[in-house]
Amino acid sequence: MTSKVIQNRDLLLEIAERKSRLLRSVIDQFDHIETNPVFVEEIQEAYLELDAAESGMLSEREMTIECPGCGYECNQIHSYCMACGTKLTDHGDPMDA
C-alpha cells in the first residue's frame, strides 16, 4: 500500500483538499444545509464519491494471470508461476486473462 500512496500522492492530496473544502463548507453553512434534505443528500454523494476515489487508488488489485500449470493467481509482471514454476509468458497474452 505504501507504494500506491507514493505513486498517487498528488491525486490523494487533491482528494484530501477537496474533502477538507467540502467539510469546511458544511461547517460554514450548517444552518442552511441542516434544514434542506437535498443539500444533505448532495453533500453525502460528493463525499462518498471522493472517498471511493481515494479508496480505489489505495486498494486496486494488481493485474493477475492464472497459471496454466496449477491455477495459482500470479502477478502478470512475473515470467514464472511463484507456486509451481511454470513459465507464464508462453501461455498467451496476460492481458487476455
Side-chain angles (χ1 to χ4, degrees):
M1 185 166 101
T2 302
S3 65
K4 290 188 184 287
V5 171
I6 292 169
Q7 289 171 347
N8 296 310
R9 66 183 174 264
D10 293 334
L11 291 172
L12 290 169
L13 181 58
E14 180 184 333
I15 290 171
E17 289 171 348
R18 290 175 65 195
K19 279 182 170 179
S20 179
R21 285 194 305 269
L22 178 63
L23 294 174
R24 174 53 57 195
S25 170
V26 168
I27 292 167
D28 292 343
Q29 303 296 322
F30 185 75
D31 292 335
H32 300 290
I33 294 168
E34 183 181 37
T35 59
N36 190 330
V38 173
F39 285 159
V40 171
E41 186 176 320
E42 288 177 1
I43 291 166
Q44 285 174 333
E45 286 178 20
Y47 189 86
L48 290 174
E49 285 176 19
L50 291 170
D51 195 50
E54 182 180 50
S55 295
M57 275 186 253
L58 299 176
S59 64
E60 283 180 2
R61 289 191 46 182
E62 298 292 331
M63 297 296 292
T64 60
I65 181 172
E66 187 175 313
C67 173
C70 69
Y72 183 76
E73 288 291 319
C74 302
N75 189 317
Q76 79 174 11
I77 64 169
H78 293 147
S79 297
Y80 295 90
C81 176
M82 300 302 286
C84 72
T86 300
K87 186 168 174 93
L88 300 173
T89 55
D90 289 342
H91 301 283
D93 183 1
M95 297 306 285
D96 294 339

